[in-house]
Amino acid sequence: MMSLAKRAKNITASPTLAISAKAKEMRKKGVEVINFSAGEPDFDTPAFIKQTAISAIEEGFTKYTPASGINELKEAVIAKLHRDNNLDYSINQVIVSCGAKHSIYNCLQAICNPGDEVIIFSPYWVSYPEMIKLAGAQPIVVNTKEEDGFLPSVSSLASAISKKSKAMIINSPCNPCGCVYPGKLLREISKFALKNNLLVISDEIYEKIIFDSNKHISIASLGEDIKNRTLVINGVSKTYAMTGWRIGYTAGPADIIKAMSNIQSHSTSNPNSIAQKASAEALKCAQGEVSKMVAEFERRRNFIVERLKTFDRISFHKPDGAFYLFLNIGSFFGQRLKARDIKNSVDFADYLLEQGKVAVVPGSAFGADRYIRISFATSIEDLGKGLDRIETAVFKN
Ligand SMILES: *Cc1c(COP(=O)(O)O)cnc(C)c1O
């Protein structure tokens, strides 16, 4: 038997894989499965962004670039952070990576020593705990509650602090629960981070996908002292429907950015040259396209919220951003649906897939087993159809 590295044994494959594999299998057999599990916009990348990439290919922009990204894109990032977030950075404070996931990964690799602790909030994005472990550190999970709109309290944070605390990761707007951190909470978190000498990794990938009068505030914009301890993570995947292009970026203290660049230079080298050109164009010019997509996400959110209000025995907190709704299905635990014992979120998701032909993500993937995640990155028509099916499978069985 070949023995694997501890770090590889230590991480688990995403618990969502089993459900999506089963959904795929069913589709292959011709079953029409409605997909509520998508983690990406269903829109196409705007045409002029694609055109920029085509021009880049035709002009021969197809070779290695500097490992940390081209200056043109870094300048576009700097202009974006100034325009949208009231943040000023110089070129040595920005690094472009192969998606925001890669940005967070490199960041953790650059700052964590074995034994360090990194605070995250549950429900959390699936990859945070595993990326922290891959950096040799330990995730410390602070739970948030549905009745608090999934916003953390500073008192709960205090209990997570130890001598080993190194950093915390915040994610607003949040995947999976759609909460948006208000300014007051961000100021409290900032004070807390400063007092406890923590670095803050601020995952702002859903910044633009935000509804009603909610406003995105980058924690780094709250003052020079917190800016000097924050790594702002963002990218083009969610905002511009560019998930496949794999471009993310980080802005932060120059020494950490330099360390990340060194790590990147020995692993992936530069992010794709063509995608970098297209991303620079997106950041400069695509704001009109973004508003259209966000308006559609908001319309769908309103639709799904109105519909779910009519369902008994489930509860949820109305999402203020991102394109997910986190549904509390805990009242079904310990019960039977069509001779099937429902013990946890995986059972519930599996039941929905089998009986309702609707694919959702079980909350256990996000450290919150009483929930399932529904993505509204799908058409209103499919949302209506899928909700009908859920209603029938759960309430008319
Ligand atoms: C999608 C997502 C990312 C990563 O996006 P990339 O495609 O790697 O740029 C990061 N954080 C959260 C919370 C996400 O949902």
Side-chain angles (χ1 to χ4, degrees), residues 39-40 98-104 124-126 128 131 171 173-176 203-206 233-238 242-244 246-249 323-324 373:
E40 60 183 344
C98 309
K101 181 182 275 186
H102 188 220
S103 303
I104 300 167
Y124 46 70
W125 186 46
V126 277
Y128 296 150
M131 291 198 285
N171 173 218
C174 170
N175 173 8
D203 180 350
E204 304 181 11
I205 194 88
Y206 292 100
I233 309 274
N234 210 325
V236 297
S237 284
K238 310 291 164 51
M242 292 176 71
T243 43
R246 310 308 305 130
I247 296 292
Y249 56 85
F323 39 72
Y324 312 101
R373 191 191 74 176

Side-chain angles (χ1 to χ4, degrees), residues 152-310:
S153 68
V154 173
S155 58
S156 64
L157 254 174
S159 63
I161 281 287
S162 83
K163 280 198 288 273
K164 298 177 191 159
S165 308
K166 178 72 184 236
M168 65 193 286
I169 304 181
I170 61 174
N171 173 218
S172 173
C174 170
N175 173 8
C177 48
C179 63
V180 171
Y181 287 20
K184 179 169 175 287
L185 174 62
L186 289 169
R187 278 188 291 277
E188 286 171 357
I189 291 175
S190 155
K191 228 191 255 168
F192 180 84
L194 290 168
K195 190 177 130 210
N196 292 288
N197 249 339
L198 296 179
L199 290 166
V200 178
I201 299 173
S202 181
D203 180 350
E204 304 181 11
I205 194 88
Y206 292 100
E207 164 186 21
K208 297 289 178 192
I209 305 173
I210 195 162
F211 313 129
D212 309 319
S213 56
N214 287 287
K215 285 209 166 43
H216 172 76
I217 300 169
S218 174
I219 193 167
S221 69
L222 296 178
E224 206 50 36
D225 41 2
I226 188 66
K227 181 176 173 234
N228 292 334
R229 315 201 121 261
T230 302
L231 286 307
V232 176
I233 309 274
N234 210 325
V236 297
S237 284
K238 310 291 164 51
T239 305
Y240 304 103
M242 292 176 71
T243 43
W245 299 69
R246 310 308 305 130
I247 296 292
Y249 56 85
T250 312
D255 53 342
I256 299 177
I257 298 296
K258 179 83 172 70
M260 289 171 67
S261 303
N262 291 343
I263 290 166
Q264 183 161 302
S265 75
H266 292 295
S267 49
T268 57
S269 290
N270 64 272
N272 178 290
S273 61
I274 300 147
Q276 286 191 69
K277 281 279 189 190
S279 298
E281 188 67 15
L283 288 174
K284 285 184 232 170
C285 308
Q287 307 322 309
E289 306 281 340
V290 175
S291 322
K292 275 187 253 165
M293 293 192 264
V294 174
E296 179 59 20
F297 280 133
E298 184 162 343
R299 194 168 80 92
R300 295 168 181 179
R301 187 228 25 193
N302 294 343
F303 173 80
I304 182 171
V305 161
E306 284 315 309
R307 210 36 228 291
L308 286 172
K309 275 187 195 160
T310 68

